[in-house]
Amino acid sequence: MNKAKVEMGIFTVFKYFMLIMAALVAIIPVVVCVLTAFKTEEEYQNTSALSLPKSFLYFENFKVAFTQANMLRGFINTALVLVVVLTASVLVSSMIAYVLNRFKFIGNGLIRNLFMFASLLPGIAMQVTIYEIMNSLHLINHLYGYMICLMGTDIISIYIFLQFFENLPTSLDESAIIDGCTYFGVFFKILLPLLKPAIMTTLVLKGVGVYNEYYASNLYLQSKELKTISTALYTFTGPYGSQYNYICAGVLITIIPILIIFLVFQKQVYGGLAAGAVKG
Amino acid sequence: MGKTKKSFGEWFRSRKVQKFLVIFTFMFVPLLLLLMYTYIPFGKMVQFSFYNMKYIGKRNYVGLKNYIEVFKRPEIFKSLFVSVYYMGGAVLQLALALFFATLMVFKVKGESIFKATMFFPYLISGIAIGFIFKFFYARGYVLDSILMLFGIAPENIPYWLQDTSINNISLAATSVWRYTGQNMILFLGAMMSVDADLYEAASLDGANKWHQFKYIILPSIKSIVVLNLILSISGSLSAFEPPYVITNGTMGTGTYFVIMNRLAHENQKVGLASAMAIVLLAIIILCTVAQKLFFAYVFDDGTDDESRAAVRRRKKQNKINQGLK
């Protein structure tokens, strides 16, 4: 009995020690960035990266980063892209999930498999030829072209909705149809409101994905006024090379919105992760 | 009587028409997008891989020459070697995630804080992570200062991103940093779906932590672990972000995708890049299939009551019994 207690005690100490270490490793690179972002040029040059800044009210670096990287423009563009892409994504993927889940027709299984196989194709490799298609459709250097491109690869949202539909009883549809509802009515009036949890999950996951996207943005939005927030950050480093007090401030500006979203929607983020993972 | 039959027919037909309409309208856009952004590019990729071409201009059919070049170019061959580092990272990351998820299954104070801290790196954009680690590894800054706190002399500290014997490890480590928390949350979700009474019953029966892990936790999550192993190994073959953002693939850090990206968009060797993409896809599909087969054998799935190995043993025993008769 006593031995078990000692063992338990050792395990508890070990457990917390390991967890605290892991949390530190996860957070130190970001925390150091926070410290650096508040340092004046002189402090940055003369103090260790690990030392605290003199004041946490020194916002000059943030101002420089925000204006030099043209982040306002970046935020506006990203916001536009988010609104359009998220609305379209939710509608498009919930609709196809509804059809695939509720109707039996020739080709249903084939279409599911086509989406499944598509999720195997490595995204960046596909951009080699997607670039050619975007080019021939004159979609390069237009915000709407970029939006269409982001809507195109949306397999996880479809899986989230498909899973959700499996748990919505078909008796709902049937009783509405007996009451004279059309299929369109069933979808928009009955089912769509019930999809709210799945919609939230999709919005959060897809939203974070779109906000962080930079490869396609870099490729298809080359003119300066079209930069999104992630590529705006990237351009700014040219002139500021390795002046990390400015760069860290820029990095933090882009991270803060994500941090807020995460803190508010933690449950949806974790939940959506599991939903996305089962797609296999 | 006939009248009701006709209106029934009308009703039936209109349902059918409606069904067709709803299927058609709801699927038109997603299928168009799927075609435009997955299958047409895929077809073109196969086609381009046989041509010597740029995005604009003349295209020459060259047969298998691009594929041969994929295997002959030293930079491409070397990049496959680089992805071994990321594979090592992927395995380490899964092991760490499994370890921490197991710790979290037992009661932990401040669980949500630990979870959130370890998970958050997953949500940061690749560009931001790139800058964070450029700074982290920069000579004389974060990592060097931390090591110096532990009394390591500066002259014994390598250049994390320039030294070719270590820079790929530094880059792969950023991937581990980014994804471990996410994997942990996934595993934890699967573990939590196990009935909590099981743990209690097991510890009453005198099972220690290792037994609990082996007999209760591991079986409950083996399918998600296998799935993630497959995903992360094919993911490590297509590792891209760390070298692209942090070192731009210089100093021997170019992964397969970084080289492919450079060939396609800077050198405009579209045919060669397409051939590379096809080769990678073939490798990924091969890996996926091989691993599925492998794990189907090692983690025998069997039925709920009897594992596959047990079934094999029973059948063998039956055969022996029959032979005896």
Side-chain angles (χ1 to χ4, degrees), chain A residues 15-16 25-26 36 44 99 104 114 124-126 128-129 132 134 177 183 212 214-215 218 237 244 277, chain B residues 15 18-19 37-39 41 44 55 59 107 109 123 125 131 135 141 177 227 240-241 244 260-261:
Chain A
K15 184 173 71 180
Y16 283 103
V25 170
T36 308
Y44 166 74
V99 170
K104 278 195 186 121
L114 284 178
I124 285 158
M126 300 299 284
V128 174
T129 41
E132 208 252 1
M134 296 285 282
I177 283 171
Y183 289 121
N212 283 342
Y214 69 89
Y215 184 78
N218 188 27
T237 57
Y244 289 104
Chain B
R15 272 287 153 216
Q18 252 199 40
K19 186 180 149 185
Y37 283 100
T38 304
Y39 286 99
K44 280 197 182 239
Y55 281 114
R59 297 171 181 191
K107 229 184 219 147
K109 283 199 186 99
L123 296 178
S125 81
F131 287 132
F135 180 46
Y141 287 106
W177 181 80
L227 178 72
F240 178 72
E241 292 193 334
Y244 178 70
M260 190 189 74
N261 180 63

Side-chain angles (χ1 to χ4, degrees), chain A:
Chain A
M1 197 65 204
N2 222 346
K3 195 186 154 216
K5 251 186 190 164
V6 172
E7 240 172 52
M8 201 59 215
I10 293 173
F11 177 73
T12 308
V13 171
F14 171 75
K15 184 173 71 180
Y16 283 103
F17 176 74
M18 292 314 284
L19 284 173
I20 289 170
M21 287 307 286
L24 282 178
V25 170
I27 211 168
I28 280 177
V30 183
V31 167
V32 176
C33 224
V34 175
L35 300 182
T36 308
F38 286 100
K39 285 180 182 168
T40 62
E41 182 92 47
E42 196 205 330
E43 268 182 287
Y44 166 74
Q45 302 279 0
N46 299 325
T47 61
S48 154
L50 304 178
S51 67
L52 291 175
K54 262 190 224 122
S55 144
F56 278 106
L57 294 170
Y58 177 76
F59 289 109
E60 197 53 36
N61 297 331
F62 291 92
K63 264 188 224 156
V64 171
F66 196 82
T67 48
Q68 288 299 313
N70 214 349
M71 283 198 176
L72 186 62
R73 193 71 249 170
F75 273 118
I76 291 171
N77 286 336
T78 298
L80 282 173
V81 173
L82 274 172
V83 169
V84 175
V85 171
L86 290 183
T87 316
S89 260
V90 164
L91 275 177
V92 165
S93 29
S94 61
M95 281 171 169
I96 189 161
Y98 167 69
V99 170
L100 287 177
N101 180 266
R102 292 302 209 243
F103 297 101
K104 278 195 186 121
F105 56 93
I106 304 162
N108 187 319
L110 174 74
I111 291 170
R112 281 170 190 252
N113 284 332
L114 284 178
F115 277 105
M116 193 93 106
F117 183 69
S119 68
L120 261 187
L121 300 173
I124 285 158
M126 300 299 284
Q127 295 296 342
V128 174
T129 41
I130 290 176
Y131 185 83
E132 208 252 1
I133 291 169
M134 296 285 282
N135 198 10
S136 57
L137 293 174
H138 304 289
L139 290 175
I140 292 178
N141 257 334
H142 293 291
L143 218 46
Y144 57 81
Y146 177 61
M147 290 168 182
I148 296 172
C149 182
L150 289 189
M151 283 172 218
T153 44
D154 204 13
I155 292 139
I156 290 190
S157 320
I158 295 177
Y159 275 97
I160 290 172
F161 283 114
L162 264 178
Q163 271 189 340
F164 202 82
F165 270 116
E166 308 235 306
N167 299 324
L168 280 184
T170 46
S171 56
L172 282 171
D173 312 31
E174 279 154 17
S175 59
I177 283 171
I178 289 167
D179 289 345
C181 224
T182 62
Y183 289 121
F184 293 93
V186 170
F187 178 77
F188 285 107
K189 287 194 203 123
I190 315 278
L191 296 175
L192 202 56
L194 291 174
L195 287 178
K196 220 172 144 193
I199 292 176
M200 284 309 297
T201 305
T202 313
L203 285 181
V204 172
L205 273 195
K206 182 92 184 164
V208 170
V210 170
Y211 181 87
N212 283 342
E213 207 289 325
Y214 69 89
Y215 184 78
S217 170
N218 188 27
L219 209 52
Y220 302 127
L221 298 175
Q222 278 149 0
S223 87
K224 212 176 165 196
E225 309 80 65
L226 292 175
K227 295 285 176 214
T228 56
I229 191 66
S230 52
T231 43
L233 177 67
Y234 200 62
T235 53
F236 145 77
T237 57
Y240 286 89
S242 55
Q243 282 191 290
Y244 289 104
N245 51 337
Y246 298 117
I247 295 175
C248 284
V251 165
L252 289 180
I253 293 173
T254 65
I255 290 181
I256 287 165
I258 288 284
L259 181 64
I260 293 169
I261 295 279
F262 174 56
L263 293 179
V264 176
F265 296 105
Q266 237 177 82
K267 228 176 81 194
Q268 278 85 358
V269 174
Y270 293 154
L273 217 58
V278 191
K279 78 185 170 80

Side-chain angles (χ1 to χ4, degrees), chain B residues 125-139:
Chain B
S125 81
I127 295 266
I129 287 186
F131 287 132
I132 289 173
F133 277 97
K134 251 186 189 172
F135 180 46
F136 188 78
Y137 287 130
R139 188 65 173 173

